[in-house]
Amino acid sequence: MRIAVAGGTGVVGSRTVQALRAEGHDAVALSRRTGVDLTTGAGLDAALDGVDAVVDTANVSTLSADAAIRFFETATGNLVAAAARAGVGHVVLLSIVGIDRMPHDYYAGKLAQERVVEAAAVPWTILRATQFHEFAGQLFDRAKLGPLHVAPRARVQPVAARDVGTHLAALAAAAPQGRVPDLAGPREEAMDEMVKAFARHTGHRGWIPSVSLPGAQMKAMRAGLALPGAGAVLATQTFSDWLRELA
């Protein structure tokens, strides 16, 4: 099959492309680097010519609900419209576990994105996955009180980006299924302990206190609302396995 991956040079998109090629598929990475701009639609029609399925892993970095909604409605709207014009038979969207339970501006954009796919003329599959193992490193870099790194408390069940890519590749090669079971890592983890373990891995030796950050999103994560639902598919790589692999 010829399968296009929007955001195909990103953390999950690149792994989806690798997994597809490992299974013998013709995988096409769609990104600005490859001449495709989802926000304007430039290059999409040519890129989707002859494509059987599309995987959408495209992302935006923003804490604004308006910006997130605008990006996802525009980018994914352009993608599914071009897919319909090209006669693509299947669109697969990567989404996030808990976006309908946790108040967060970025998640408002992901919910809007899901609605775009659900209303598309192309048959679809939506997979919600939990936070990636890489999330610990992102929080280590971002969660600071002045020069002091802090470790936010939260309940999470992180999954390897590689496992998400493999799962998306399998879904894209299969028939459209609508909303499929959540994908999560093999076990629940404490986010503050993950951040501290990542810091030690990088050689950081300073004190990193555990903190309960304010805000509705972090309160919801401490309550476990980011955990997968019943019947979730569990991947195999633990956070500890991932850290050892980094080494």
Side-chain angles (χ1 to χ4, degrees):
M1 295 178 66
R2 184 171 174 83
I3 301 174
V5 182
T9 57
V11 173
V12 175
S14 61
R15 288 165 169 83
T16 305
V17 168
Q18 292 169 5
L20 287 166
R21 290 174 178 167
E23 291 298 319
H25 298 290
D26 180 10
V28 181
L30 308 182
S31 72
R32 287 192 177 96
R33 298 183 202 173
T34 61
V36 175
D37 189 335
L38 294 178
T39 60
T40 65
L44 266 176
D45 288 327
L48 296 186
D49 184 34
V51 165
D52 300 296
V54 172
V55 182
D56 189 354
T57 68
N59 195 22
V60 64
S61 297
T62 181
L63 296 177
S64 163
D66 288 342
I69 291 170
R70 184 166 56 251
F71 172 82
F72 286 119
E73 286 185 340
T74 301
T76 299
N78 287 335
L79 182 63
V80 298
R85 290 193 297 270
V88 173
H90 187 191
V91 171
V92 180
L93 172 65
L94 174 62
S95 192
I96 305 172
V97 167
I99 58 174
D100 51 351
R101 301 191 296 263
M102 294 188 292
H104 182 34
D105 288 343
Y106 175 78
Y107 290 172
K110 293 298 289 183
L111 282 171
Q113 184 186 34
E114 288 189 359
R115 290 192 290 269
V116 169
V117 170
E118 290 166 351
V122 182
W124 52 271
T125 299
I126 294 177
L127 170 69
R128 288 181 177 180
T130 54
Q131 285 78 16
F132 308 142
H133 295 321
E134 285 85 353
F135 191 43
Q138 294 168 4
L139 283 180
F140 173 69
D141 290 334
R142 298 174 186 170
K144 294 182 179 180
L145 296 175
L148 178 68
H149 291 271
V150 298
R153 295 187 180 96
R155 296 176 61 194
V156 291
Q157 194 160 329
V159 64
R162 179 184 64 195
D163 289 338
V164 178
T166 299
H167 200 69
L168 287 170
L171 290 173
Q177 300 177 57
R179 172 79 183 277
V180 294
D182 296 341
L183 177 66
R187 68 190 187 199
E188 183 178 334
E189 305 274 1
M191 178 56 74
D192 57 330
E193 294 303 322
M194 289 172 59
V195 171
K196 294 175 184 180
F198 178 84
R200 290 193 296 270
H201 171 79
T202 65
H204 182 86
R205 293 293 178 265
W207 177 53
I208 304 178
S210 297
V211 297
S212 295
L213 292 179
Q217 183 207 5
M218 294 308 301
K219 182 179 179 180
M221 292 186 73
R222 289 193 295 274
L225 298 186
L227 298 177
V233 175
L234 302 185
T236 57
Q237 189 185 55
T238 66
F239 180 71
S240 297
D241 291 338
W242 178 76
L243 276 182
R244 282 193 291 271
E245 189 174 272
L246 283 184

